[in-house]
Amino acid sequence: MKTNKTHMKLLVPVLCAGMFIYGGCAKQQTVKADQPVAPSATTAATAAAAQPAAKAAAAQPAATPLPATNITSDSIPPQSQQTTAGKAQAGASQAAALETIYFDFDSSLLSDTARATLAANLEKLKAKPGAALRIEGYTDERGSDDYNLALSERRAQSAKKYLQALGFPASKLSVLGYGEEKPAVKGEGEETWAKNRRDEFVIVR
């Protein structure tokens, strides 16, 4: 009996010490479990680098969308669609257009204005080497058909002779009288008739 009591006295301190140690470990584990996990060095560096980029992106204004444009071939003016060659050809045709000359009533004589016009026409013809010219004479509606036909031919001949005198080859000149046919302006009165007493010029090859 005495021996058992002795053992019990020795065991109590051991049990107390064990419980104390166990309680301390449990408390330490509980505290460690509640403590926040410290971030690693790599994670901290990544987060620090991302912060300036995020601030810069937030500071930039939102991009404004560009308005849509509907440009089609139909919206382009026809003048803009002409080729350079077409424009050059149009300009050449306009430059080569020859002016009409006019005559007094019942006359085939060239006025000073008509002579100046013929000289200007000759300058335009020089830009077309090798071109030939047909001179077409006309009259107003007064007079007989035969008389007007002869008068229109004389008017064409007057222009031909003057161009020859200016140096244009006779072999490249031809005349044709139409009389009162093909009036430039239809109607009656001196203003209308004056526009029909004329010579017109056609460039031929």
Side-chain angles (χ1 to χ4, degrees):
M1 233 10 226
K2 187 176 182 180
T3 304
N4 291 335
K5 289 182 179 181
T6 303
H7 289 167
M8 287 295 293
K9 290 180 179 181
L10 295 174
L11 183 61
V12 170
V14 174
L15 291 175
C16 290
M19 292 178 64
F20 179 77
I21 295 173
Y22 176 77
C25 291
K27 187 176 181 181
Q28 185 177 5
Q29 290 178 356
T30 303
V31 173
K32 290 184 177 180
D34 294 338
Q35 290 179 352
V37 180
S40 63
T42 304
T43 305
T46 304
Q51 287 180 358
K55 291 181 179 179
Q60 290 181 352
T64 303
L66 295 176
T69 55
N70 297 323
I71 299 177
T72 62
S73 58
D74 295 335
S75 64
I76 301 175
Q79 292 84 354
S80 300
Q81 297 178 4
Q82 289 182 345
T83 61
T84 304
K87 290 181 180 180
Q89 184 176 2
S93 299
Q94 185 176 4
L98 303 182
E99 299 294 331
T100 301
I101 62 174
Y102 299 92
F103 296 86
D104 292 335
F105 172 68
D106 197 23
S107 173
S108 59
L109 297 177
L110 298 174
S111 65
D112 292 340
T113 301
R115 293 172 186 270
T117 300
L118 288 171
N121 286 345
L122 182 59
E123 292 300 317
K124 294 178 181 180
L125 287 171
K126 290 179 180 179
K128 290 182 171 292
L133 184 66
R134 182 174 71 246
I135 307 171
E136 300 176 348
Y138 299 88
T139 68
D140 60 36
E141 63 183 8
R142 292 172 293 179
S144 66
D145 291 346
D146 291 341
Y147 181 84
N148 287 339
L149 184 61
L151 178 58
S152 65
E153 289 179 354
R154 290 198 303 272
R155 287 173 173 170
Q157 287 289 349
S158 294
K160 177 184 177 180
K161 291 178 181 178
Y162 190 74
L163 288 173
Q164 284 182 244
L166 293 177
F168 197 83
S171 59
K172 295 181 179 180
L173 290 170
S174 61
V175 297
L176 183 61
Y178 282 97
E180 62 188 72
E181 298 179 11
K182 300 182 179 181
V185 181
K186 293 183 179 181
E188 296 183 354
E190 182 56 32
E191 184 177 353
T192 298
W193 293 329
K195 294 177 181 178
N196 291 331
R197 301 190 298 261
R198 70 197 191 278
D199 276 350
E200 293 184 354
F201 305 90
V202 180
I203 298 175
V204 295
R205 290 288 182 180

